[in-house]
Amino acid sequence: MSNMLRLILLIWSGSVFAADVAEIQFVCPVTLDVHQVGTSPSNDWTSVDGQGKQSLLRVGFFLHHPNQRGALVPDSTARHKMEEQVTWSFPRNPGDDFWLGCIYTDTTAMLVRKLSDSVTACSVNYVLLPTGVRSEIKNILCVQRKVP
């Protein structure tokens, strides 16, 4: 388990021991086929539909299904050399469900998946360009409680 995820786990769940958790990895598809259809507002305008492969831009996490637009703000962001680590924790209340969203360039379309109720935190590690701009996702690592 990475040191950052271990630290987050200890901070957010003081009573859980490292032996009671496991690290899992998710992988977003690097492209998404998108077919966009516009609607003309009046007869003066004509819609030109668009399609193509969109590249993976970033990852987001959501409280409830992403179509409700409940995007979560990360708990922390840290840069070290040519990498950036962005971390979210998921303290749960009754009825809460958390989702991972793969977000692509030039579209609002996303690929999403519901996280298991046992997931307590996730970190996304990005590779940075020399300018400090994110160039790609290195990995998506999450911590989950082991279920007996």
Side-chain angles (χ1 to χ4, degrees), residues 103-115:
I103 301 167
Y104 295 85
T105 57
D106 301 325
T107 183
T108 57
M110 288 190 284
L111 293 177
V112 301
R113 68 183 299 162
K114 186 177 185 282
L115 297 175

Side-chain angles (χ1 to χ4, degrees), residues 38-51:
T39 303
S40 300
S42 69
N43 290 338
D44 297 339
W45 295 96
T46 302
S47 172
V48 176
D49 299 338
Q51 64 182 12

Side-chain angles (χ1 to χ4, degrees), residues 86-106:
V86 184
T87 303
W88 292 259
S89 61
F90 311 117
R92 293 185 183 272
N93 293 309
D96 284 351
D97 56 323
F98 293 93
W99 292 70
L100 177 150
C102 304
I103 301 167
Y104 295 85
T105 57
D106 301 325

Side-chain angles (χ1 to χ4, degrees), residues 3 20 23 27 32 34 38 43 45 68 79 81 92-93 118 121 127 132-133 136 148:
N3 289 335
D20 297 331
E23 188 172 271
V27 178
L32 176 65
V34 175
N43 290 338
W45 295 96
Q68 297 177 11
R79 288 184 175 212
K81 296 185 181 178
R92 293 185 183 272
N93 293 309
S118 62
V127 176
V133 174
E136 65 183 85

